[in-house]
């Protein structure tokens, strides 16, 4: 713990608790010094020259002088590359190992190289180990240079070193897999992309969604406190690269600490001297393996979803406004009554709980005995209760969670087999090992108890294991031991997947409590594949205008990494001014998750702000059927709710640089106000006709337009021809149709009100016929909904 961490600890939990954090940090440093391998001599290595190849289903293994490369094309077109015998499994990210494409063929290439040819992608491996990913037509999308790694050559590396041994696919045992010698190797993989390419992804990045030149750490951590947006809570080694030649996604399936350094390319203005874009990935250990998917953005995200699992669609009520607070039942009742008094809708209350916390410090948390009565009372008001808990369990005799977890052997231990203890929100705490199936089962049983108490959802309130801990976060030394599904390892490998496995435990517990239901869950952190277990709320953005902009970047970035349901904490952490709070509410009204926090609400910012927030929430309530449709579409295709404006036209370079607007599905373009005092703003439109939803005026893209952005609203435009489900004045779902352009059809999807966990979607099409708008159900049959046509000069048919 350095001085900055100490100051953060004291501010977060007070002087006494901060001192305990210092002591805990000293213990962690001492434990790491004893248990982790010490620095020593290393030997740099490269693959060497290719010596032969062995065909296998979907590709084969190419043998080099000092390593081997496994290339496999999956049935859906995803390409797997694994060095030194690394295989797709075991993996926390994958929903299952995909079947190999039996039609993919490994064959010799020129100059001693090899290539794997398939229907959707061609992989070319050079004689020295460079890997090129090309389209079937031969267009180069990405070139991976031969990897470089460093192996320890000294024997005395410390108490946690593992013996090196031959790996599957390594010639004569000369090469070792990084997964088989965890912690004993680090490696670098350098890549090249097109000069015009733009980088996106790497999880939820405050600096995104477009990732400019710089280095980005792959280590989930807590942000720097109120006002700080420079650190990233949820990182993933997932890059989405968009260029004129095509779009591709690359995922390095490795959870160790590392850095990604990006450098955008530069075109030679016709001279032919282009500087290609570059990426350098450095990881401290683990396997050198990665997946590549190519195609349009929609096809890439569909393939990514097939690889890592379908997003869990939230129940319909979860698209309504939600409010989080810590406190006893009287405070909860006051907040609910305030929403009713001021005419603000409220779908759920998030109750922030802490197992075994000292109530005099925790703010009079409701006792477990109170919870069933409180949840029933809230449900009678039409408000669901969501239990928000962190993994920290107070380590004290008599605390039921501690005694139950100890009996189950659920808590993380150090290299000597003792429980790892740290200072967190509840006090001196222990932490479950969510990489152990038995620990997950125990935690899932606790989740089932919350469901029995009447809770309708669960929030996993942790940033990630961090160097210091407060408010339920986790403090674990890097030498702490984890089960890792029976493989065994330390916290260096488990750190980034800790929150992912916590979400998994909660999801499995909810599934056991309500078989066949649609549990609602979200987390503050996670890793690739998190969408299988729920969504994300991106807390702790600064209560300032950069924090507002970062909120949009986080949601866009997570969507491009396969996590479609997310949203910020409206207003950030701190005291947001009236205008900032209003603009934050107006933005969040069009994001998948709308979440406010604290006892003070919009009514604390004056009558004008309250009226405008009420109007924004009324529009969100009207769009709930559309949000529900987007949720089912995300489950089926992986397409995020919130999409970059270049989603359908990635070849439009001007749109690739647009970061202050987004598409909500295919139908709506939202342009939030992200600067103080702005009453107009420029919006760059994609190709086609767009209608201002407030005025009905039509604009034709592509190109920029200036739109009014008064305090009462932000610019929202609808695509010509769009058919979207909305809530009508009588509460029933109706179809809102925006007038198509002559000669061009439009359309949209609708998910029926009923239909179980996986309702069937219905497609509608629209077109102009003799000046009137016609809407039909695709495949025939009655439309079944009331139709309302909007758009300049449109008439209903």
């Amino acid at each position: 713990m350095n001085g900055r961490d100490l100051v953060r600890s004291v501010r977060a939990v007070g002087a006494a608790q901060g001192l305990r954090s210092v002591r805990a940090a000293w213990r962690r440093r001492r434990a790491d010094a004893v248990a982790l391998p010490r620095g020593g001599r290393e030997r740099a290595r490269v693959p060497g020259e290719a010596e032969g190849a062995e065909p296998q289903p979907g590709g084969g293994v190419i043998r080099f002088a000092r390593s081997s490369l496994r290339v496999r094309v999956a049935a859906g077109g995803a390409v797997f590359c694994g060095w030194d015998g690394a295989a797709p499994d075991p993996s926390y990210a994958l929903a299952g190992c995909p079947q190999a494409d039996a039609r993919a063929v490994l064959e010799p290439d020129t100059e001693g190289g090899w290539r794997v040819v398939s229907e959707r992608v061609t992989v070319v491996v050079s004689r020295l180990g460079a890997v090129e990913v090309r389209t079937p037509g031969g267009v180069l999308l990405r070139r991976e240079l031969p990897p470089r790694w460093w192996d320890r050559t000294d024997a005395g590396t410390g108490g946690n070193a593992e013996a090196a041994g031959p790996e599957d696919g390594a010639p004569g045992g000369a090469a070792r897999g990084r997964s088989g010698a965890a912690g004993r190797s680090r490696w670098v993989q350098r890549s090249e992309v097109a000069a015009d390419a733009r980088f996106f992804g790497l999880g939820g990045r405050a600096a995104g969604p477009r990732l400019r030149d710089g280095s980005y750490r792959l280590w989930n951590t807590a942000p720097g406190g109120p006002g700080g947006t420079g650190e990233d809570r949820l990182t993933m080694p997932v890059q989405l690269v968009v260029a004129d030649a095509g779009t591709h996604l690359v995922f390095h399936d490795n959870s160790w600490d590392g850095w990604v350094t990006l450098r955008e390319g530069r075109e030679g203005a016709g001279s032919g001297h282009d500087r290609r874009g570059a990426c350098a990935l450095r990881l401290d250990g683990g396997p050198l393996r990665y997946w590549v998917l190519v195609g349009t953005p929609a096809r890439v995200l569909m393939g990514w979803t097939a690889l890592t699992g379908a997003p869990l669609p939230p129940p319909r009520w979860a698209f309504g406004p939600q409010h989080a607070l810590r406190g006893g039942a009287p405070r909860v009742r006051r907040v609910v009554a305030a929403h009713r008094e001021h005419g603000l809708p409220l779908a759920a209350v998030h109750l922030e709980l802490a197992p075994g916390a000292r109530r005099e410090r925790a703010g009079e948390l409701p006792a477990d005995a109170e919870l069933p009565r409180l949840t029933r009372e809230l449900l009678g008001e039409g408000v669901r209760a969501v239990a928000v808990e962190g993994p920290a369990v107070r380590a004290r005799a008599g605390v039921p969670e501690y005694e139950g977890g100890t009996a189950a052997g659920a808590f993380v231990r150090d290299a000597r087999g003792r429980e790892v203890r740290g200072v967190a929100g509840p006090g001196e705490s222990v932490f479950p090992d969510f990489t152990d199936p038995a620990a997950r089962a125990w935690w899932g049983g606790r989740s089932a108890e919350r469901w029995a108490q009447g809770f309708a959802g669960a929030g996993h309130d942790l940033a990630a294991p961090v160097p210091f801990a407060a408010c339920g976060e986790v403090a674990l030394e890097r030498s702490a031991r984890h089960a890792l599904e029976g493989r065994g390892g330390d916290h260096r490998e488990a750190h980034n997947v800790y929150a992912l496995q916590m979400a998994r435990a909660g999801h499995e517990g909810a599934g056991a409590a309500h078989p066949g239901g649609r549990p609602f869950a979200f987390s503050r952190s996670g890793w690739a594949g998190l969408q299988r277990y729920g969504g994300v709320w991106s807390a702790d953005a600064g209560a300032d205008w950069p924090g507002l902009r970062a909120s949009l970047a986080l949601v866009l970035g997570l969507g491009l990494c396969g996590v479609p349901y997310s949203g910020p904490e409206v207003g950030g952490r701190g005291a947001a001014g009236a205008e900032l709070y209003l603009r934050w509410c107006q933005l969040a009204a069009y994001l998948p998750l709308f979440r406010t926090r604290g006892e003070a609400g919009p009514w604390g910012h004056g009558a004008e702000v309250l009226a405008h927030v009420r109007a924004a929430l009324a529009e969100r309530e009207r769009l709930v059927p559309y949000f529900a449709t987007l949720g089912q579409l995300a489950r089926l295709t992986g397409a995020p709710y919130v999409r970059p404006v270049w989603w359908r036209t990635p070849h439009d370079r001007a749109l690739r640089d647009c970061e202050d607007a987004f598409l909500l599905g295919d139908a709506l373009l939202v342009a939030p106000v992200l600067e103080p005092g702005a009453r107009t703003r420029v919006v760059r439109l994609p190709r086609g006709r767009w209608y201002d939803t407030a005025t009905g005026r039509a604009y034709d893209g592509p190109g920029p337009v200036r739109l009014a952005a008064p305090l009462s609203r932000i610019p929202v435009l609808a695509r010509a021809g769009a058919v979207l489900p909305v809530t009508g004045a009588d509460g029933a779902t109706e179809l809102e149709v925006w007038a198509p352009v002559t000669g061009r059809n439009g359309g949209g999807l609708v998910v029926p009100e009923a239909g179980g966990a996986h309702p069937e979607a219905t497609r509608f099409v629209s077109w102009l016929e003799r000046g009137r708008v016609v809407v039909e159900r695709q495949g025939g049959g009655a439309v079944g909904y009331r139709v309302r046509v909007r758009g300049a000069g449109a008439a209903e048919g």
Side-chain angles (χ1 to χ4, degrees):
M1 171 179 285
N2 56 30
R4 180 174 175 232
D5 290 336
L6 174 59
V7 172
R8 290 161 62 184
S9 295
V10 172
R11 287 178 177 173
V13 298
Q17 194 83 329
L19 182 59
R20 296 188 186 98
S21 296
V22 172
R23 291 172 179 167
W26 179 82
R27 290 197 301 267
R28 288 194 296 273
R29 285 182 177 272
R30 184 178 180 184
D32 287 346
V34 172
L36 289 180
R38 299 181 183 91
R41 291 176 296 173
E42 294 180 324
R43 179 174 58 187
R45 306 184 67 179
V46 293
E49 294 193 15
E51 296 181 342
E54 175 188 341
Q56 292 181 352
V61 175
I62 304 169
R63 303 188 185 281
F64 295 86
R66 291 178 293 276
S67 187
S68 64
L69 171 65
R70 175 183 281 117
V71 179
R72 179 190 299 173
V73 180
V79 176
F80 172 79
C81 294
W83 285 92
D84 279 7
D89 286 330
S91 171
Y92 281 116
L94 304 188
C97 189
Q99 184 178 2
D101 183 357
R103 297 171 296 177
V105 178
L106 174 67
E107 58 187 34
D109 198 28
T110 59
E111 300 181 357
W114 297 83
R115 63 180 176 179
V116 177
V117 180
S118 69
E119 182 181 2
R120 295 185 179 177
V121 66
T122 298
V123 182
V124 180
V125 182
S126 76
R127 177 175 57 89
L128 296 178
V131 180
E132 294 182 351
V133 179
R134 296 178 174 270
T135 67
V139 178
L140 177 64
L141 296 178
R142 187 180 190 90
R143 185 170 189 263
E144 304 279 359
L145 302 178
R148 190 177 185 88
W149 67 94
W150 289 261
D151 288 341
R152 297 188 185 278
T153 60
D154 56 310
T157 53
N160 196 32
E162 300 179 18
E167 290 288 324
D168 174 36
R176 295 184 295 101
R178 247 62 62 197
S179 57
R184 297 197 58 180
S185 294
R186 57 188 178 90
W187 49 265
V188 173
Q189 176 77 71
R190 301 182 186 278
S191 311
E192 295 177 346
V193 297
D196 67 288
R198 295 289 182 263
F199 296 98
F200 300 88
L202 294 182
R205 297 283 174 171
R210 174 185 163 193
L211 303 176
R212 290 172 168 78
D213 294 2
S215 294
Y216 301 85
R217 193 179 183 188
L218 298 173
W219 188 256
N220 290 337
T221 185
T229 57
E231 298 179 76
D232 298 296
R233 179 179 298 281
L234 201 162
T235 70
M236 302 178 192
V238 180
Q239 298 176 40
L240 187 74
V241 183
V242 183
D244 289 351
T247 300
H248 72 272
L249 179 148
V250 59
F251 165 55
H252 287 84
D253 195 352
N254 184 308
S255 61
W256 284 66
D257 191 6
W259 291 85
V260 176
T261 301
L262 302 177
R263 188 195 68 189
E264 292 183 344
R266 183 179 303 162
E267 294 182 291
S271 68
H273 297 288
D274 292 350
R275 188 190 74 181
R276 301 183 64 81
C279 167
L281 174 65
R282 297 171 174 84
L283 288 171
D284 288 346
L288 175 45
R289 59 182 181 180
Y290 56 94
W291 292 85
V292 182
L293 299 95
V294 304
T296 63
R299 180 179 290 277
V300 165
L301 265 294
M302 180 180 288
W304 177 241
T305 297
L307 194 65
T308 59
L312 179 70
R316 193 180 186 89
W317 60 263
F319 295 111
Q322 304 177 50
H323 190 85
L325 72 160
R326 169 173 288 197
R331 181 178 294 180
V332 175
R333 295 187 183 102
R334 285 198 302 270
V335 169
V336 173
H339 280 80
R340 296 287 180 262
E341 176 186 351
H342 295 99
L344 297 172
L346 183 62
V349 169
H350 298 177
L351 302 180
E352 299 179 1
L353 309 176
R358 292 169 290 184
R359 298 186 184 281
E360 68 273 13
R361 198 190 67 76
E364 299 181 354
L365 296 172
D368 282 359
E370 297 179 83
L371 292 175
R373 181 163 57 88
L374 181 59
T375 57
R376 288 195 301 269
E377 181 181 330
L378 290 173
L379 194 58
E381 295 277 341
V383 179
R384 273 90 170 170
V386 176
V388 181
E389 297 182 87
V393 176
R394 191 179 183 193
R396 182 176 181 178
V399 175
E401 293 86 354
Y402 175 65
E403 294 183 344
T406 300
F411 299 123
V412 175
R413 296 182 178 274
D414 62 18
R416 297 182 180 181
R418 301 170 300 184
E419 287 180 348
V420 174
R421 298 196 174 193
V423 179
E428 187 175 43
S429 303
V430 290
F431 311 99
D433 181 6
F434 294 113
T435 69
D436 183 353
R440 288 198 300 269
W442 168 75
W443 187 269
R446 293 187 62 256
S447 299
E449 293 174 9
R450 294 301 188 199
W451 286 90
Q453 291 170 337
F455 286 96
H460 305 118
D461 185 8
L462 80 160
V466 295
F468 78 101
C471 306
E473 292 168 352
V474 186
L476 293 173
E477 56 257 29
R478 295 191 176 215
S479 60
R481 302 297 296 174
H482 290 267
L484 291 170
E485 315 308 317
R487 294 183 291 111
D490 60 42
H491 191 66
R492 293 173 298 171
E493 182 178 358
H495 175 95
N496 280 332
V497 298
Y498 188 88
L500 172 70
Q501 294 309 102
M502 181 183 178
R504 176 182 177 182
H507 174 74
E508 291 172 349
H514 291 277
R518 289 171 61 185
F520 173 62
F522 58 92
S523 301
R524 287 173 72 188
S525 188
W527 206 59
L530 178 64
Q531 72 277 1
R532 300 193 298 267
Y533 313 123
V536 171
W537 106 85
S538 51
D540 294 318
D544 50 25
W545 291 92
L548 172 61
R549 184 178 291 270
S551 294
L552 175 57
L554 291 165
V555 174
L556 281 166
L558 288 170
L560 294 177
C561 291
V563 184
Y565 183 82
S566 66
E569 199 155 85
V570 172
R573 288 297 180 106
E579 182 186 6
L580 173 61
Y581 186 87
L582 172 59
R583 294 307 195 186
W584 216 312
C585 286
Q586 291 171 336
L587 164 63
Y590 294 93
L591 301 179
L593 171 63
F594 185 99
R595 185 182 193 265
T596 50
R597 189 180 189 277
E599 194 165 1
W603 50 86
H605 292 281
E608 183 182 15
V609 169
L610 176 63
H612 296 332
V613 171
R614 188 184 297 120
L617 292 182
E619 179 63 12
R620 181 182 180 88
E621 291 286 293
R622 195 179 73 89
L623 290 175
V624 163
Y626 184 52
F627 275 107
T629 292
L630 294 178
Q632 293 301 324
L633 189 61
R635 176 181 66 85
L636 295 171
T637 69
Y641 306 63
V642 173
R643 308 167 187 177
V645 290
W646 49 257
W647 178 257
R648 292 179 59 169
T649 55
H651 56 274
D652 188 329
R653 296 189 180 187
L655 290 181
R656 291 207 296 258
D657 295 339
C658 179
E659 302 177 274
D660 60 356
F662 61 92
L663 298 175
L664 181 60
D666 272 342
L668 299 178
L669 190 157
V670 182
V673 174
L674 305 176
E675 297 177 353
R679 297 298 180 265
T680 64
R681 62 150 297 174
V682 175
V683 181
R684 181 167 290 276
L685 301 179
R687 184 175 300 278
R689 177 163 295 176
W690 297 84
Y691 295 100
D692 187 325
T693 58
T695 65
R697 181 179 173 182
Y699 299 90
D700 289 323
V705 296
R706 181 171 291 276
L707 300 176
L711 274 178
S712 59
R713 61 180 174 86
I714 58 176
V716 179
L717 299 104
R719 190 187 300 273
V723 178
L724 61 156
V726 298
T727 302
D730 59 356
T733 300
E734 65 182 25
L735 300 184
E736 182 172 274
V737 184
W738 290 88
V741 176
T742 302
R744 298 181 64 89
N745 291 354
L749 287 171
V750 178
V751 176
E753 293 290 337
H758 303 302
E760 183 179 350
T762 303
R763 177 172 291 278
F764 295 87
V765 293
S766 65
W767 70 91
L768 277 178
E769 185 176 287
R770 297 178 181 176
R772 303 185 71 84
V773 178
V774 178
V775 180
E776 285 188 357
R777 180 189 294 259
Q778 193 173 59
V783 170
Y785 296 95
R786 182 170 57 247
V787 176
R788 185 162 66 98
V789 177
R790 298 184 65 183
E796 183 178 345

